[in-house]
């Protein structure tokens, strides 16, 4: 499909659904139990004519796509588990494993991609989408050049993003399929039992603060509260994924994909407090990782009284992720000019989106609704 034949969307870019519907295929989303993967699979499932499968180690139920139980860390296992996906035309690779050792992180995550590509070696692959992130620019280090642009050079510091990209480009050149690399930052969305998600950090911290009758405080340093930050809505990223898989101009390219704005956590927390009807106070620098597990009993009482989903507390939020983001004291800004020039022009107001998604979590009974009364404090 030529780039010129794509349909203009309401924001002057490409309508992902209309573009993909012109040339239906079979999508396989690796890592479909995660926030990014689940949203990507759901978005592909909305496209008329497409067959969609989602591969994950955890059980998936009630999905709009065909679930596959797959262990991609083992080469032989991956071939067996993905045997039913031999007709895949579009691979969306969102699988990831966290490792404390950087060398092991590179080795294990590169193996996930290699094993998946090998398992699909006879599939009629037309396109592969691979996700990276701000670490490609050094967002995990003490400061980096902003706004980050796709043409910025790699870092000397090893990174599994680089290793995966090299593997993918080599395979694409050898086998003749297209590829696109998308770089989101701070993905905001929800997937059951997936705790590495800044939305859940904010939602659960705010809910417990309100339950205890406490003002909502940004749980990080003053400098981090005032630094510019950016996020990527999981639904927006999913639409960019479908767009990339059906747009010739995206082939071989790397694109930053964020909501298109920046904000300060100080302002976001103030807006969230107003939305929830609680007081707001100055930032208070403390460790979420050490503090929030001690409020598990409070959360369990909230689950019972408000009829919330009985997700194990340990699976609800990864507090370490919040501590990392909320102690980043430098601006985190990526340019999205490149992706907009090529045709994907969607954008969102991030603070407004936080409040919208908090309401959605309440509708799904993940957290209490903003209007529900908190319990009286007990001794």
């Amino acid at each position: 499909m030529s780039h010129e034949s794509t349909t203009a969307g309401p924001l002057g870019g490409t309508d992902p659904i209309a573009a993909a519907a012109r040339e239906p295929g079979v999508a396989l989303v690796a890592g479909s139990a995660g926030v990014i993967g689940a949203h990507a699979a759901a978005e592909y499932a909305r496209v008329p004519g497409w067959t969609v499968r989602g591969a994950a180690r955890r059980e998936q139920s009630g999905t709009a796509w065909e679930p596959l139980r797959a262990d991609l860390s083992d080469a032989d296992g991956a071939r067996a588990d993905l045997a039913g996906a031999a007709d895949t035309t579009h691979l969306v690779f969102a699988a990831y494993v966290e490792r404390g050792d950087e060398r092991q992180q590179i080795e294990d995550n590169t193996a996930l991609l290699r094993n998946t590509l090998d398992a699909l070696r006879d599939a009629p692959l037309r396109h592969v989408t691979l996700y990276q992130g701000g670490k490609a620019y050094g967002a995990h280090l003490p400061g980096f050049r902003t706004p980050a642009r796709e043409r910025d050079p790699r870092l000397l510091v090893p990174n599994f993003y680089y290793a995966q990209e090299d593997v993918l480009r080599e395979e694409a050149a050898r086998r003749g399929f297209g590829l696109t690399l998308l770089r989101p930052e701070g993905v905001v969305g929800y997937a059951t039992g997936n705790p590495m998600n800044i939305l859940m950090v904010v939602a659960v911290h705010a809910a417990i603060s309100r339950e205890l009758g406490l003002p909502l405080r940004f749980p990080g340093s003053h400098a981090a509260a005032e630094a510019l930050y950016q996020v990527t809505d999981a639904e927006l990223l999913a639409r960019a994924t479908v767009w990339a898989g059906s747009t010739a101009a995206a082939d071989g390219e790397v694109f930053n994909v964020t909501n298109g704005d920046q904000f300060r956590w100080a302002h976001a927390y103030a807006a969230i407090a107003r939305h929830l009807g609680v007081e707001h106070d100055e930032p208070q620098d403390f460790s979420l990782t050490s503090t929030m597990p001690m409020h598990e009993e409070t959360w369990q009482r909230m689950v019972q009284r408000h009829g919330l989903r009985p997700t194990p507390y340990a699976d609800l939020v990864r507090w370490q992720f919040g501590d990392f983001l909320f102690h980043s004291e430098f601006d985190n800004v990526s340019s999205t000019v490149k992706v907009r020039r090529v045709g994907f022009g969607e954008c969102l107001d991030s603070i407004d989106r936080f409040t919208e998604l908090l309401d959605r979590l309440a509708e799904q009974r993940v957290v209490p609704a903003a209007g529900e009364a908190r319990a009286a404090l007990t001794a």
Side-chain angles (χ1 to χ4, degrees):
M1 178 184 298
S2 68
H3 175 52
E4 288 75 13
S5 65
T6 56
T7 300
L11 295 174
T14 300
D15 179 350
I17 297 294
R22 290 196 182 90
E23 196 172 342
V26 179
L28 172 66
V29 180
S32 55
V35 174
I36 292 176
H39 283 83
E43 190 68 18
Y44 261 114
R46 294 179 57 225
V47 185
W50 280 71
T51 298
V52 186
R53 301 185 181 97
R57 285 178 294 179
R58 293 193 286 114
E59 183 177 351
Q60 306 169 79
S61 59
T63 63
W65 57 90
E66 178 186 342
L68 298 176
R69 287 289 289 271
D71 182 1
L72 305 180
S73 65
D74 176 74
D76 293 334
R79 281 193 290 272
D81 293 339
L82 298 182
D87 55 346
T88 298
T89 62
H90 287 65
L91 170 64
V92 177
F93 193 82
Y96 170 78
V97 290
E98 178 67 28
R99 296 287 184 261
D101 178 75
E102 190 64 42
R103 186 181 298 274
Q104 198 65 46
Q105 183 96 328
I106 294 171
E107 184 176 316
D108 290 355
N109 280 284
T110 304
L112 290 178
L113 179 60
R114 284 188 183 277
N115 294 342
T116 304
L117 290 171
D118 182 63
L120 299 175
R121 62 183 179 274
D122 295 324
L125 274 181
R126 301 203 304 254
H127 188 272
V128 177
T129 300
L130 177 66
Y131 302 103
Q132 297 185 334
K135 286 186 178 181
Y137 301 118
H140 58 310
L141 302 173
F144 65 105
R145 183 168 66 183
T146 58
R149 291 181 169 84
E150 295 87 346
R151 62 176 178 265
D152 290 348
R154 287 183 175 184
L155 306 176
L156 181 62
V157 179
N159 191 313
F160 78 90
Y161 291 148
Y162 305 154
Q164 285 186 327
E165 180 178 351
D166 291 344
V167 167
L168 181 58
R169 290 190 182 278
E170 179 181 337
E171 283 294 294
R174 185 173 66 84
R175 294 164 58 174
F177 57 76
L179 66 92
T180 305
L181 284 75
L182 302 181
R183 289 178 177 171
E185 175 61 35
V187 177
V188 177
Y190 175 73
T192 303
N194 190 285
M196 194 168 175
N197 181 350
I198 193 60
L199 175 64
M200 291 305 296
V201 173
V202 173
V204 177
H205 171 237
I208 290 177
S209 294
R210 187 178 63 157
E211 179 75 9
L212 297 176
L214 302 174
L216 184 61
R217 302 171 182 263
F218 173 70
S221 67
H222 279 74
E226 295 297 335
L228 288 175
Y229 192 59
Q230 59 186 350
V231 293
T232 303
D233 187 273
E235 293 180 12
L236 184 148
L237 181 60
R239 291 191 290 274
T241 300
V242 173
W243 166 83
S246 301
T247 303
D251 184 21
E253 298 293 340
V254 180
F255 296 109
N256 296 328
V257 179
T258 71
N259 287 358
D261 66 350
Q262 295 85 43
F263 62 92
R264 305 184 197 278
W265 283 114
H267 300 161
Y269 259 71
I272 291 168
R274 287 193 299 272
H275 183 72
L276 296 179
V278 300
E279 293 184 11
H280 175 254
D281 211 332
E282 291 295 310
Q284 186 174 56
D285 195 348
F286 67 94
S287 169
L288 291 166
T289 305
S290 299
T291 302
M292 297 310 293
M294 292 189 286
H295 290 292
E296 182 172 0
E297 287 188 12
T298 300
W299 179 259
Q300 296 304 337
R301 290 197 302 270
M302 294 165 64
V303 169
Q304 292 297 320
R305 189 174 65 261
H306 297 291
L308 305 181
R309 291 187 184 184
T311 305
Y313 192 66
D315 295 338
L316 195 65
V317 183
R318 188 175 182 213
W319 297 111
Q320 296 92 330
F321 186 53
D323 279 333
F324 171 74
L325 290 184
F326 292 162
H327 288 84
S328 178
E329 299 183 342
F330 47 84
D331 291 346
N332 187 320
V333 179
S334 298
S335 170
T336 57
V337 169
K338 182 179 176 181
V339 74
R340 283 184 277 133
R341 280 179 170 170
V342 175
F344 186 80
E346 293 198 30
C347 59
L348 291 168
D349 183 296
S350 295
I351 293 180
D352 286 350
R353 190 61 172 158
F354 266 113
T355 57
E356 291 171 4
L357 290 174
L358 288 174
D359 286 344
R360 186 180 298 178
L361 289 178
E363 291 171 1
Q364 297 171 339
R365 309 310 299 171
V366 177
V367 297
E372 294 182 13
R374 64 175 183 267
L377 291 176
T378 59

